[in-house]
């Protein structure tokens, strides 16, 4: 059937950890976590054959981002179908051998409460004190015109996977860029000061896309001194989307994505 790789990192020993999703013969997707040796072969010491497909839900779940922890454990972020058959943003932690770390969150994972169907985390990272930041988008339902309305989403979690109530509202920040329509955070970087930069896109009234870059402080408030009220909008063509972000040593910010018609 189908399998996808969405993100990876290199361990200090040059092994490669990859996160994504894999479908079974009935096309139900499960989170996919793989580890390769430095030469590209499957590391059979990881799970039983080099890859694990844990069930984070009773239906589809996907890992879109992965991050290493200093002790060898692994964090992933993505989405999982909840009991109401809605896609909920989820994070999970795995042991160094590929098994789910059931001491994290609830039985190894934490999912956000949602009221609409299309919600996900696209990125995950660590603050200097070890707390976890994940970003993506939250579905706010349809507008009065019948259009989808998504907002940029950030959430902060404790080291052990509980929502951190000192961040935003009960650990969650939603940031609408437009009054309506769709915006998503697709890439994330965390500065040495703990401020969070996210990139993605916002939708204009003519349904074109503009790339966005936003900065939030450690408590989830918009940094008003960045861009205009905390946001920079990049409009070069009809469809501009920022997928990735990196911080240079001189403090400048690189974003990468697509621009076209």
């Amino acid at each position: 059937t189908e399998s996808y790789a969405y993100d990876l990192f290199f361990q200090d020993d040059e092994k490669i950890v990859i996160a994504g999703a894999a479908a079974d013969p009935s096309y139900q997707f499960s989170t996919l976590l793989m580890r390769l040796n430095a030469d590209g072969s499957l590391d059979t010491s990881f799970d039983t054959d080099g890859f694990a497909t844990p069930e984070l839900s009773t239906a589809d779940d996907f890992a879109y981002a992965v991050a290493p922890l200093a002790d060898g454990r692994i964090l992933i972020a993505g989405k999982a179908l909840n009991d109401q058959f809605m896609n909920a943003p989820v994070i999970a932690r795995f042991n160094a051998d590929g098994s789910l770390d059931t001491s994290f969150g609830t039985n190894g994972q934490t999912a956000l409460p949602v009221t609409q169907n299309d919600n996900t985390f696209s990125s995950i990272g660590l603050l200097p004190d070890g707390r976890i930041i994940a970003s993506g988008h939250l579905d706010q339902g349809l507008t009065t015109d019948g259009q989808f309305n998504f907002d940029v989403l950030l959430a902060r979690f404790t080291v052990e996977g509980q929502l951190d109530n000192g961040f935003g509202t009960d650990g969650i920040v939603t940031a609408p860029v437009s009054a309506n329509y769709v915006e998503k955070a697709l890439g994330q970087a965390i500065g040495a000061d703990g401020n969070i930069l996210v990139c993605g896109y916002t939708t204009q009234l003519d349904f074109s896309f503009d790339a966005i870059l936003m900065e939030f402080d450690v408590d989830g408030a918009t940094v008003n001194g960045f861009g205009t009220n905390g946001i920079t909008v990049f409009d070069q063509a009809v469809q501009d989307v920022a997928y990735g972000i990196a911080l240079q040593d001189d403090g400048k910010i690189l974003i990468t994505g697509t621009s076209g018609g």
Side-chain angles (χ1 to χ4, degrees):
T1 52
E2 297 178 23
S3 53
Y4 299 94
Y6 292 109
D7 195 18
L8 62 79
F9 68 84
F10 290 87
Q11 295 185 165
D12 291 340
D13 60 5
E14 298 186 356
K15 291 183 179 181
I16 308 159
V17 176
I18 300 168
D24 64 20
S26 63
Y27 272 86
Q28 178 176 316
F29 281 92
S30 299
T31 294
L32 173 65
L33 201 59
M34 302 173 59
R35 191 164 69 199
L36 305 181
N37 295 309
D39 64 1
S41 60
L42 281 167
D43 176 7
T44 54
S45 70
F46 188 76
D47 199 67
T48 57
D49 45 17
F51 60 90
T53 53
E55 296 288 350
L56 300 184
S57 71
T58 57
D60 290 341
D61 41 86
F62 292 75
Y64 292 122
V66 64
L69 294 171
D71 59 5
R73 288 184 289 187
I74 301 161
L75 288 169
I76 64 99
K79 67 180 181 182
L81 211 63
N82 65 16
D83 293 341
Q84 289 75 48
F85 298 100
M86 297 177 182
N87 288 300
V90 66
I91 63 169
R93 190 169 72 191
F94 294 83
N95 296 306
D97 64 0
S99 61
L100 192 62
D101 180 2
T102 56
S103 69
F104 183 81
T106 302
N107 297 321
Q109 62 177 297
T110 301
L112 297 192
V114 296
T115 59
Q116 302 294 329
N117 182 61
D118 192 343
N119 313 273
T120 194
F121 284 136
S122 302
S123 301
I124 192 168
L126 296 175
L127 292 169
D129 62 6
R131 285 180 293 180
I132 303 160
I133 293 286
S135 58
H137 70 267
L138 190 72
D139 188 343
Q140 303 285 26
L142 297 179
T143 68
T144 55
D145 298 330
Q147 304 297 329
F148 290 111
N149 181 14
F150 299 166
D151 288 343
V152 167
L153 166 69
L154 289 87
R156 191 172 74 190
F157 301 87
T158 66
V159 172
E160 294 306 325
Q162 305 298 329
L163 276 168
D164 185 348
N165 292 333
F167 185 79
T169 302
D170 298 326
I172 299 170
V173 169
T174 55
V177 179
S178 62
N180 294 304
Y181 307 123
V182 170
E183 37 266 348
K184 296 182 179 182
L186 300 174
Q188 172 186 286
I190 298 173
D193 57 1
N195 280 9
I196 307 135
L197 288 150
V198 299
C199 67
Y201 72 90
T202 183
T203 309
Q204 300 300 319
L205 294 177
D206 61 0
F207 299 105
S208 64
F209 294 160
D210 288 346
I212 56 172
L213 179 63
M214 306 178 72
E215 185 174 18
F216 300 85
D217 67 20
V218 292
D219 296 319
T222 302
V223 177
N224 290 329
F226 182 82
T228 302
N229 298 322
I231 182 170
T232 294
V233 177
F234 177 80
D235 178 16
Q236 177 171 282
V238 177
Q239 305 288 346
D240 300 313
V241 180
Y243 288 102
I245 182 172
L247 304 181
Q248 296 185 163
D249 292 339
D250 62 4
K252 293 181 180 179
I253 304 156
L254 292 170
I255 63 170
T256 183
T258 59
S259 180

